[in-house]
Amino acid sequence: MNTAGRTAQTGNHGLDLMPFRGVRYVPERVGSLAAVTSPPYDVVVRPDGLLHLESADPFNIVRLILPQATDPGARNAQAAATLRHWLTEGVLAPDPEPALYVYEQRGGDMLQRGVIGALRLSEAAEGVVLPHEGVMPHVVEDRAGVMRATEANLEPLLLTYRGNGSATGASAVIERTVRRPPLLATTTEDGYDHRLWAVTDPADLAHVHADLASHQALIADGHHRWATYLRLRTEHPASASSPWDYGLVLLVDTARYPLRVRAIHRLLNRLPLDEALAGVDGSFRVREVKGPLPHAMEALAQASAEGNAFLLAGGTGDTFHLLDRPDPALLARTIRADRPEAWRTLDATVLHATLLAHVWGIPEDSPADIAYIHDTQATVDKARRDGGTAVLMHPVREDVVRELAQQGVTMPRKSTSFGPKPATGLVLRTLTDD
């Protein structure tokens, strides 16, 4: 039985997805919907991407998810004041009635459809929603501060479940809904088309709810926001009507709409490339690889097919350094033996347990020392500009992620990047309007 799919024959109640009054931009008050959207908060490359988004439109959602001020308290207060002002001035407005929202993303050969709703954070959530990565406490604290101050879920998590591949249940409602004119449609600068529909018909809502109630879900993106939801729920006594007992999610049936899995790269801010290479001397095979970047990434992919491999960049010029064939004795000394083989052989495991902790002595939870960046070119550019070292990763397969999650084994933090990710700013959930 696929424990990230159906929950039949278990004691869990499955996913409990409820409609909510979505808060959306009023088109007449903004330059364009594309100009006010943003990638998820942890995908925005700072400061370059942040400044770009802030200048795109004075009402860009980044001013809520990544407010800029001198300290956390001021940032959170600024986000809350900005949200109140936009609601008061009619820049944002709640929809007239609760709804689930069908969301579609289309770009090139990628088509993704799912449903956005408010997911109950019940005691059964630990067995119904399956994480596959650990979280960093300072990031959870940061997200909790923003959510607490704004009393809002500003961007949905991305959750996946495995249906039976046919257009029944929730899928039938989704496919029927997308034949209607959408509430909104826009194309963001990355070339993706986005469309959103509201589902308010009681019969359709009942079909979606009943179908999802027999499934579990894997967290594809948003582990820190999920941990934040659970934390804030404990701060507010749960009751049948408590808005803090729910969190905003996008659910995608990957049997119908498979996601792409990409790597999240590391930028070692205070480790120059020459020092990084000196540290691994004798522990890994090190080879120079000429650029450009796509060529170097192909070399990384080939090496990763045979075992653990990493691509280092930094310094000057267009040369990369490929690390592979780690010393087996070193791995035996530095990697926990009480975990499954699939976990012990992950590139992320070797990076964190062997390279970061043992070889380079870099704390993984120190923002001053390490940054996690989704964009490959941006990681390389920042390393070369700032004198650090970029560690480029090869993505892990989705079936490995799911297998470990089913066993209750979490991967090292920021091990995967599922996508495409939902655009932030198309629909929000304020906890005062549910």
Side-chain angles (χ1 to χ4, degrees):
M1 180 176 63
N2 184 351
T3 59
R6 292 205 168 267
T7 64
Q9 302 175 7
T10 76
N12 297 322
H13 298 294
L15 299 165
D16 186 1
L17 192 70
M18 302 298 292
F20 68 103
R21 291 183 69 196
V23 173
R24 298 186 294 112
Y25 280 98
V26 177
E28 295 78 14
R29 296 300 310 275
V30 298
S32 73
L33 286 174
V36 295
T37 63
S38 163
Y41 79 96
D42 59 336
V43 180
V44 176
V45 178
R46 289 170 271 188
D48 300 356
L50 184 61
L51 294 174
H52 172 71
L53 290 165
E54 286 184 331
S55 62
D57 191 284
F59 301 121
N60 189 282
I61 193 69
V62 77
R63 297 179 187 276
L64 298 182
I65 62 172
L66 291 173
Q68 298 303 292
T70 55
D71 62 81
R75 289 196 295 270
N76 299 335
Q78 178 178 303
T82 300
L83 178 57
R84 287 195 301 269
H85 177 69
W86 290 358
L87 287 166
T88 300
E89 295 298 313
V91 176
L92 292 168
D95 283 337
E97 59 182 321
L100 294 177
Y101 294 86
V102 170
Y103 176 49
E104 177 188 276
Q105 291 168 277
R106 188 188 294 266
D109 61 353
M110 169 62 72
L111 173 63
Q112 178 173 289
R113 288 173 178 155
V115 60
I116 297 174
L119 185 69
R120 182 183 288 275
L121 313 172
S122 65
E123 290 82 355
E126 291 184 4
V128 175
V129 176
L130 305 176
H132 68 268
E133 291 182 358
V135 297
M136 293 174 276
H138 74 275
V139 178
V140 176
E141 177 59 34
D142 174 71
R143 292 298 93 191
V146 173
M147 287 190 206
R148 199 183 288 119
T150 59
E151 295 185 291
N153 299 152
L154 301 173
E155 46 188 339
L157 283 66
L158 175 58
L159 305 183
T160 72
Y161 69 99
R162 299 288 293 180
N164 59 16
S166 64
T168 59
S171 293
V173 174
I174 290 172
E175 302 306 320
R176 188 163 59 247
T177 299
V178 298
R179 293 198 290 266
R180 297 193 276 107
L183 282 177
L184 63 86
T186 190
T187 302
T188 46
E189 65 179 7
D190 58 5
Y192 273 92
D193 297 323
H194 306 261
R195 297 198 296 171
L196 192 76
W197 296 260
V199 178
T200 57
D201 179 79
D204 284 343
L205 295 174
H207 281 307
V208 174
H209 188 271
D211 184 19
L212 295 178
S214 64
H215 286 86
Q216 293 174 312
L218 176 74
I219 299 178
D221 185 67
H223 284 80
H224 288 91
R225 280 165 284 167
W226 176 255
T228 302
Y229 287 169
L230 298 181
R231 173 173 174 173
L232 294 178
R233 178 180 178 269
T234 65
E235 296 178 6
H236 298 81
S239 67
S241 60
S242 172
W244 297 95
D245 201 33
Y246 296 83
L248 187 64
V249 304
L250 165 64
L251 275 159
V252 174
D253 177 1
T254 52
R256 291 183 62 82
Y257 299 106
L259 300 183
R260 290 174 177 160
V261 187
R262 293 189 169 94
I264 302 176
H265 310 295
R266 275 64 169 163
L267 175 62
L268 309 181
N269 297 308
R270 299 197 282 201
L271 181 69
L273 178 62
D274 57 350
E275 293 182 20
L277 292 171
V280 299
D281 185 35
S283 299
F284 286 73
R285 182 174 69 167
V286 181
R287 292 176 287 163
E288 283 195 3
V289 179
K290 297 297 183 181
L293 179 59
H295 175 261
M297 292 301 290
E298 288 179 8
L300 174 62
Q302 293 172 4
S304 295
E306 300 178 3
N308 299 119
F310 311 92
L311 193 67
L312 304 191
T316 58
D318 199 25
T319 299
F320 301 82
H321 293 81
L322 182 64
L323 275 58
D324 65 355
R325 298 186 183 178
D327 177 9
L330 175 62
L331 299 183
R333 291 197 309 271
T334 55
I335 295 177
R336 295 175 55 169
D338 61 344
R339 294 293 181 92
E341 176 73 10
W343 183 90
R344 288 186 284 114
T345 56
L346 288 170
D347 286 340
T349 298
V350 174
L351 173 62
H352 284 255
T354 303
L355 284 170
L356 292 180
H358 182 80
V359 174
W360 293 325
I362 295 176
E364 63 180 10
D365 57 353
S366 169
D369 288 286
I370 184 169
Y372 299 84
I373 303 178
H374 293 70
D375 185 89
T376 309
Q377 187 67 60
T379 311
V380 173
D381 291 345
K382 288 179 71 65
R384 289 175 173 163
R385 182 173 64 243
D386 301 338
T389 296
V391 182
L392 306 181
M393 311 279 287
H394 185 70
V396 65
R397 300 192 318 273
E398 182 180 358
D399 61 321
V400 174
V401 177
R402 195 173 295 276
E403 174 192 344
L404 290 172
Q406 290 169 359
Q407 297 177 58
V409 177
T410 57
M411 300 166 64
R413 60 194 57 170
K414 298 294 183 181
S415 293
T416 61
S417 176
F418 283 85
K421 303 178 190 301
T424 298
L426 297 181
V427 61
L428 290 61
R429 174 179 174 252
T430 55
L431 278 65
T432 55
D433 279 311
D434 269 15

mmCIF file of all heavy atoms in Angstrom, residues 221-254:
data_model
loop_
_atom_site.group_PDB
_atom_site.id
_atom_site.type_symbol
_atom_site.label_atom_id
_atom_site.label_comp_id
_atom_site.label_asym_id
_atom_site.label_seq_id
_atom_site.Cartn_x
_atom_site.Cartn_y
_atom_site.Cartn_z
ATOM 1 N N ASP A 221 6.880 21.028 -1.250
ATOM 2 C CA ASP A 221 7.553 22.301 -1.003
ATOM 3 C C ASP A 221 6.832 23.021 0.121
ATOM 4 O O ASP A 221 5.606 23.136 0.100
ATOM 5 C CB ASP A 221 7.537 23.175 -2.270
ATOM 6 C CG ASP A 221 8.334 24.458 -2.080
ATOM 7 O OD1 ASP A 221 9.562 24.374 -1.947
ATOM 8 O OD2 ASP A 221 7.721 25.536 -2.050
ATOM 9 N N GLY A 222 7.594 23.490 1.109
ATOM 10 C CA GLY A 222 6.987 24.256 2.193
ATOM 11 C C GLY A 222 7.137 23.629 3.561
ATOM 12 O O GLY A 222 6.284 23.830 4.424
ATOM 13 N N HIS A 223 8.228 22.895 3.806
ATOM 14 C CA HIS A 223 8.413 22.259 5.113
ATOM 15 C C HIS A 223 8.441 23.278 6.248
ATOM 16 O O HIS A 223 7.893 23.033 7.331
ATOM 17 C CB HIS A 223 9.703 21.438 5.133
ATOM 18 C CG HIS A 223 9.606 20.142 4.400
ATOM 19 N ND1 HIS A 223 9.715 20.051 3.032
ATOM 20 C CD2 HIS A 223 9.383 18.875 4.847
ATOM 21 C CE1 HIS A 223 9.573 18.788 2.662
ATOM 22 N NE2 HIS A 223 9.374 18.056 3.737
ATOM 23 N N HIS A 224 9.073 24.417 6.018
ATOM 24 C CA HIS A 224 9.148 25.421 7.082
ATOM 25 C C HIS A 224 7.789 26.058 7.341
ATOM 26 O O HIS A 224 7.435 26.323 8.496
ATOM 27 C CB HIS A 224 10.183 26.490 6.731
ATOM 28 C CG HIS A 224 11.591 25.991 6.819
ATOM 29 N ND1 HIS A 224 12.249 25.445 5.735
ATOM 30 C CD2 HIS A 224 12.449 25.924 7.864
ATOM 31 C CE1 HIS A 224 13.462 25.084 6.111
ATOM 32 N NE2 HIS A 224 13.617 25.347 7.393
ATOM 33 N N ARG A 225 7.013 26.261 6.282
ATOM 34 C CA ARG A 225 5.670 26.809 6.495
ATOM 35 C C ARG A 225 4.767 25.783 7.172
ATOM 36 O O ARG A 225 3.924 26.152 7.998
ATOM 37 C CB ARG A 225 5.089 27.256 5.148
ATOM 38 C CG ARG A 225 5.608 28.620 4.691
ATOM 39 C CD ARG A 225 5.313 28.877 3.233
ATOM 40 N NE ARG A 225 6.220 28.130 2.374
ATOM 41 C CZ ARG A 225 6.039 27.958 1.073
ATOM 42 N NH1 ARG A 225 4.951 28.451 0.487
ATOM 43 N NH2 ARG A 225 6.917 27.280 0.357
ATOM 44 N N TRP A 226 4.938 24.504 6.858
ATOM 45 C CA TRP A 226 4.154 23.470 7.547
ATOM 46 C C TRP A 226 4.507 23.442 9.032
ATOM 47 O O TRP A 226 3.608 23.399 9.886
ATOM 48 C CB TRP A 226 4.410 22.105 6.903
ATOM 49 C CG TRP A 226 3.721 20.966 7.601
ATOM 50 C CD1 TRP A 226 4.288 20.021 8.409
ATOM 51 C CD2 TRP A 226 2.312 20.680 7.583
ATOM 52 N NE1 TRP A 226 3.336 19.154 8.883
ATOM 53 C CE2 TRP A 226 2.114 19.541 8.391
ATOM 54 C CE3 TRP A 226 1.219 21.269 6.962
ATOM 55 C CZ2 TRP A 226 0.853 18.975 8.593
ATOM 56 C CZ3 TRP A 226 -0.035 20.711 7.174
ATOM 57 C CH2 TRP A 226 -0.212 19.584 7.973
ATOM 58 N N ALA A 227 5.792 23.475 9.355
ATOM 59 C CA ALA A 227 6.206 23.509 10.763
ATOM 60 C C ALA A 227 5.679 24.767 11.447
ATOM 61 O O ALA A 227 5.324 24.740 12.632
ATOM 62 C CB ALA A 227 7.727 23.448 10.859
ATOM 63 N N THR A 228 5.604 25.861 10.682
ATOM 64 C CA THR A 228 5.060 27.103 11.242
ATOM 65 C C THR A 228 3.573 26.970 11.515
ATOM 66 O O THR A 228 3.084 27.415 12.570
ATOM 67 C CB THR A 228 5.318 28.272 10.272
ATOM 68 O OG1 THR A 228 6.721 28.384 10.039
ATOM 69 C CG2 THR A 228 4.792 29.574 10.847
ATOM 70 N N TYR A 229 2.821 26.372 10.595
ATOM 71 C CA TYR A 229 1.397 26.135 10.833
ATOM 72 C C TYR A 229 1.189 25.369 12.140
ATOM 73 O O TYR A 229 0.336 25.735 12.967
ATOM 74 C CB TYR A 229 0.790 25.298 9.698
ATOM 75 C CG TYR A 229 0.587 25.985 8.372
ATOM 76 C CD1 TYR A 229 0.261 25.229 7.247
ATOM 77 C CD2 TYR A 229 0.699 27.364 8.213
ATOM 78 C CE1 TYR A 229 0.052 25.821 6.006
ATOM 79 C CE2 TYR A 229 0.499 27.960 6.985
ATOM 80 C CZ TYR A 229 0.174 27.185 5.887
ATOM 81 O OH TYR A 229 -0.023 27.771 4.663
ATOM 82 N N LEU A 230 1.951 24.292 12.299
ATOM 83 C CA LEU A 230 1.778 23.452 13.492
ATOM 84 C C LEU A 230 2.164 24.216 14.756
ATOM 85 O O LEU A 230 1.519 24.077 15.796
ATOM 86 C CB LEU A 230 2.602 22.179 13.357
ATOM 87 C CG LEU A 230 2.231 21.244 12.191
ATOM 88 C CD1 LEU A 230 3.117 20.014 12.199
ATOM 89 C CD2 LEU A 230 0.757 20.851 12.259
ATOM 90 N N ARG A 231 3.201 25.017 14.665
ATOM 91 C CA ARG A 231 3.621 25.800 15.830
ATOM 92 C C ARG A 231 2.554 26.816 16.222
ATOM 93 O O ARG A 231 2.217 26.952 17.413
ATOM 94 C CB ARG A 231 4.941 26.514 15.518
ATOM 95 C CG ARG A 231 5.372 27.492 16.596
ATOM 96 C CD ARG A 231 6.742 28.037 16.332
ATOM 97 N NE ARG A 231 7.103 29.069 17.285
ATOM 98 C CZ ARG A 231 8.305 29.618 17.344
ATOM 99 N NH1 ARG A 231 9.264 29.221 16.527
ATOM 100 N NH2 ARG A 231 8.563 30.555 18.234
ATOM 101 N N LEU A 232 2.023 27.541 15.247
ATOM 102 C CA LEU A 232 1.022 28.562 15.556
ATOM 103 C C LEU A 232 -0.275 27.933 16.041
ATOM 104 O O LEU A 232 -0.994 28.535 16.853
ATOM 105 C CB LEU A 232 0.770 29.438 14.330
ATOM 106 C CG LEU A 232 1.956 30.301 13.892
ATOM 107 C CD1 LEU A 232 1.620 31.083 12.638
ATOM 108 C CD2 LEU A 232 2.372 31.249 15.009
ATOM 109 N N ARG A 233 -0.564 26.739 15.568
ATOM 110 C CA ARG A 233 -1.757 26.052 16.058
ATOM 111 C C ARG A 233 -1.659 25.785 17.554
ATOM 112 O O ARG A 233 -2.645 25.919 18.280
ATOM 113 C CB ARG A 233 -1.955 24.744 15.298
ATOM 114 C CG ARG A 233 -3.161 23.933 15.771
ATOM 115 C CD ARG A 233 -3.296 22.647 14.961
ATOM 116 N NE ARG A 233 -4.422 21.862 15.439
ATOM 117 C CZ ARG A 233 -4.344 20.932 16.388
ATOM 118 N NH1 ARG A 233 -3.164 20.683 16.957
ATOM 119 N NH2 ARG A 233 -5.406 20.260 16.779
ATOM 120 N N THR A 234 -0.462 25.425 18.029
ATOM 121 C CA THR A 234 -0.295 25.160 19.461
ATOM 122 C C THR A 234 -0.416 26.438 20.287
ATOM 123 O O THR A 234 -0.693 26.370 21.484
ATOM 124 C CB THR A 234 1.064 24.499 19.737
ATOM 125 O OG1 THR A 234 2.122 25.411 19.423
ATOM 126 C CG2 THR A 234 1.231 23.228 18.929
ATOM 127 N N GLU A 235 -0.191 27.582 19.650
ATOM 128 C CA GLU A 235 -0.299 28.857 20.369
ATOM 129 C C GLU A 235 -1.744 29.322 20.499
ATOM 130 O O GLU A 235 -2.034 30.248 21.263
ATOM 131 C CB GLU A 235 0.505 29.941 19.645
ATOM 132 C CG GLU A 235 2.007 29.676 19.616
ATOM 133 C CD GLU A 235 2.742 30.763 18.842
ATOM 134 O OE1 GLU A 235 2.092 31.755 18.447
ATOM 135 O OE2 GLU A 235 3.959 30.618 18.651
ATOM 136 N N HIS A 236 -2.641 28.702 19.739
ATOM 137 C CA HIS A 236 -4.047 29.104 19.755
ATOM 138 C C HIS A 236 -4.895 27.875 20.073
ATOM 139 O O HIS A 236 -4.883 26.909 19.317
ATOM 140 C CB HIS A 236 -4.464 29.695 18.403
ATOM 141 C CG HIS A 236 -3.706 30.926 18.035
ATOM 142 N ND1 HIS A 236 -2.438 30.879 17.482
ATOM 143 C CD2 HIS A 236 -4.023 32.246 18.152
ATOM 144 C CE1 HIS A 236 -2.021 32.107 17.271
ATOM 145 N NE2 HIS A 236 -2.955 32.956 17.664
ATOM 146 N N PRO A 237 -5.596 27.883 21.186
ATOM 147 C CA PRO A 237 -6.408 26.713 21.561
ATOM 148 C C PRO A 237 -7.315 26.287 20.416
ATOM 149 O O PRO A 237 -8.054 27.090 19.845
ATOM 150 C CB PRO A 237 -7.221 27.222 22.761
ATOM 151 C CG PRO A 237 -6.399 28.341 23.325
ATOM 152 C CD PRO A 237 -5.724 28.977 22.149
ATOM 153 N N ALA A 238 -7.199 25.014 20.070
ATOM 154 C CA ALA A 238 -7.974 24.502 18.941
ATOM 155 C C ALA A 238 -9.447 24.374 19.291
ATOM 156 O O ALA A 238 -9.802 23.963 20.392
ATOM 157 C CB ALA A 238 -7.426 23.155 18.496
ATOM 158 N N SER A 239 -10.276 24.733 18.345
ATOM 159 C CA SER A 239 -11.716 24.532 18.482
ATOM 160 C C SER A 239 -12.274 24.319 17.082
ATOM 161 O O SER A 239 -11.577 24.480 16.086
ATOM 162 C CB SER A 239 -12.381 25.756 19.129
ATOM 163 O OG SER A 239 -12.312 26.872 18.275
ATOM 164 N N ALA A 240 -13.528 23.970 17.020
ATOM 165 C CA ALA A 240 -14.127 23.681 15.717
ATOM 166 C C ALA A 240 -14.082 24.894 14.793
ATOM 167 O O ALA A 240 -14.093 24.751 13.574
ATOM 168 C CB ALA A 240 -15.561 23.216 15.907
ATOM 169 N N SER A 241 -14.026 26.103 15.364
ATOM 170 C CA SER A 241 -14.086 27.307 14.545
ATOM 171 C C SER A 241 -12.768 28.070 14.500
ATOM 172 O O SER A 241 -12.722 29.184 14.003
ATOM 173 C CB SER A 241 -15.184 28.235 15.078
ATOM 174 O OG SER A 241 -14.905 28.592 16.434
ATOM 175 N N SER A 242 -11.679 27.499 15.038
ATOM 176 C CA SER A 242 -10.416 28.223 15.091
ATOM 177 C C SER A 242 -9.764 28.275 13.716
ATOM 178 O O SER A 242 -9.432 27.238 13.134
ATOM 179 C CB SER A 242 -9.451 27.556 16.071
ATOM 180 O OG SER A 242 -8.172 28.163 15.981
ATOM 181 N N PRO A 243 -9.518 29.467 13.163
ATOM 182 C CA PRO A 243 -8.851 29.548 11.855
ATOM 183 C C PRO A 243 -7.411 29.083 11.914
ATOM 184 O O PRO A 243 -6.836 28.716 10.895
ATOM 185 C CB PRO A 243 -8.954 31.031 11.508
ATOM 186 C CG PRO A 243 -9.082 31.735 12.817
ATOM 187 C CD PRO A 243 -9.868 30.807 13.696
ATOM 188 N N TRP A 244 -6.802 29.072 13.121
ATOM 189 C CA TRP A 244 -5.416 28.618 13.260
ATOM 190 C C TRP A 244 -5.306 27.094 13.164
ATOM 191 O O TRP A 244 -4.200 26.559 13.120
ATOM 192 C CB TRP A 244 -4.850 29.091 14.595
ATOM 193 C CG TRP A 244 -4.778 30.588 14.706
ATOM 194 C CD1 TRP A 244 -5.700 31.409 15.281
ATOM 195 C CD2 TRP A 244 -3.742 31.441 14.198
ATOM 196 N NE1 TRP A 244 -5.303 32.718 15.172
ATOM 197 C CE2 TRP A 244 -4.106 32.769 14.514
ATOM 198 C CE3 TRP A 244 -2.552 31.201 13.510
ATOM 199 C CZ2 TRP A 244 -3.302 33.856 14.166
ATOM 200 C CZ3 TRP A 244 -1.756 32.291 13.167
ATOM 201 C CH2 TRP A 244 -2.136 33.600 13.494
ATOM 202 N N ASP A 245 -6.423 26.413 13.120
ATOM 203 C CA ASP A 245 -6.419 24.954 12.992
ATOM 204 C C ASP A 245 -6.363 24.530 11.529
ATOM 205 O O ASP A 245 -6.467 23.339 11.220
ATOM 206 C CB ASP A 245 -7.676 24.372 13.654
ATOM 207 C CG ASP A 245 -7.492 22.902 14.000
ATOM 208 O OD1 ASP A 245 -6.361 22.508 14.331
ATOM 209 O OD2 ASP A 245 -8.479 22.142 13.920
ATOM 210 N N TYR A 246 -6.160 25.493 10.625
ATOM 211 C CA TYR A 246 -6.086 25.216 9.190
ATOM 212 C C TYR A 246 -4.897 25.955 8.588
ATOM 213 O O TYR A 246 -4.463 26.988 9.116
ATOM 214 C CB TYR A 246 -7.370 25.664 8.473
ATOM 215 C CG TYR A 246 -8.609 24.917 8.897
ATOM 216 C CD1 TYR A 246 -9.313 25.296 10.038
ATOM 217 C CD2 TYR A 246 -9.067 23.817 8.171
ATOM 218 C CE1 TYR A 246 -10.446 24.604 10.444
ATOM 219 C CE2 TYR A 246 -10.198 23.123 8.564
ATOM 220 C CZ TYR A 246 -10.881 23.520 9.706
ATOM 221 O OH TYR A 246 -12.000 22.828 10.105
ATOM 222 N N GLY A 247 -4.396 25.438 7.478
ATOM 223 C CA GLY A 247 -3.311 26.099 6.769
ATOM 224 C C GLY A 247 -3.533 26.014 5.269
ATOM 225 O O GLY A 247 -4.113 25.048 4.752
ATOM 226 N N LEU A 248 -3.062 27.018 4.544
ATOM 227 C CA LEU A 248 -3.279 27.123 3.102
ATOM 228 C C LEU A 248 -2.346 26.168 2.352
ATOM 229 O O LEU A 248 -1.123 26.195 2.548
ATOM 230 C CB LEU A 248 -3.027 28.563 2.649
ATOM 231 C CG LEU A 248 -3.361 28.907 1.199
ATOM 232 C CD1 LEU A 248 -4.847 28.758 0.932
ATOM 233 C CD2 LEU A 248 -2.888 30.335 0.882
ATOM 234 N N VAL A 249 -2.920 25.331 1.481
ATOM 235 C CA VAL A 249 -2.124 24.356 0.727
ATOM 236 C C VAL A 249 -2.634 24.263 -0.713
ATOM 237 O O VAL A 249 -3.798 24.560 -1.002
ATOM 238 C CB VAL A 249 -2.168 22.945 1.363
ATOM 239 C CG1 VAL A 249 -1.720 22.981 2.814
ATOM 240 C CG2 VAL A 249 -3.558 22.315 1.237
ATOM 241 N N LEU A 250 -1.748 23.833 -1.601
ATOM 242 C CA LEU A 250 -2.099 23.394 -2.950
ATOM 243 C C LEU A 250 -1.836 21.902 -3.016
ATOM 244 O O LEU A 250 -0.722 21.448 -2.732
ATOM 245 C CB LEU A 250 -1.252 24.124 -3.996
ATOM 246 C CG LEU A 250 -1.239 23.520 -5.412
ATOM 247 C CD1 LEU A 250 -2.628 23.571 -6.039
ATOM 248 C CD2 LEU A 250 -0.210 24.232 -6.291
ATOM 249 N N LEU A 251 -2.852 21.130 -3.379
ATOM 250 C CA LEU A 251 -2.745 19.682 -3.491
ATOM 251 C C LEU A 251 -2.748 19.275 -4.957
ATOM 252 O O LEU A 251 -3.642 19.651 -5.719
ATOM 253 C CB LEU A 251 -3.917 19.008 -2.768
ATOM 254 C CG LEU A 251 -3.730 18.779 -1.265
ATOM 255 C CD1 LEU A 251 -5.070 18.602 -0.589
ATOM 256 C CD2 LEU A 251 -2.851 17.553 -1.034
ATOM 257 N N VAL A 252 -1.735 18.502 -5.358
ATOM 258 C CA VAL A 252 -1.602 18.049 -6.741
ATOM 259 C C VAL A 252 -1.536 16.529 -6.762
ATOM 260 O O VAL A 252 -0.763 15.915 -6.013
ATOM 261 C CB VAL A 252 -0.331 18.640 -7.393
ATOM 262 C CG1 VAL A 252 -0.117 18.049 -8.781
ATOM 263 C CG2 VAL A 252 -0.421 20.159 -7.468
ATOM 264 N N ASP A 253 -2.353 15.936 -7.624
ATOM 265 C CA ASP A 253 -2.332 14.484 -7.822
ATOM 266 C C ASP A 253 -1.229 14.171 -8.836
ATOM 267 O O ASP A 253 -1.380 14.391 -10.034
ATOM 268 C CB ASP A 253 -3.694 14.019 -8.354
ATOM 269 C CG ASP A 253 -3.722 12.521 -8.662
ATOM 270 O OD1 ASP A 253 -2.710 11.832 -8.447
ATOM 271 O OD2 ASP A 253 -4.773 12.046 -9.142
ATOM 272 N N THR A 254 -0.095 13.650 -8.355
ATOM 273 C CA THR A 254 1.037 13.429 -9.249
ATOM 274 C C THR A 254 0.879 12.181 -10.113
ATOM 275 O O THR A 254 1.707 11.927 -10.987
ATOM 276 C CB THR A 254 2.358 13.355 -8.460
ATOM 277 O OG1 THR A 254 2.240 12.403 -7.411
ATOM 278 C CG2 THR A 254 2.706 14.715 -7.887
#
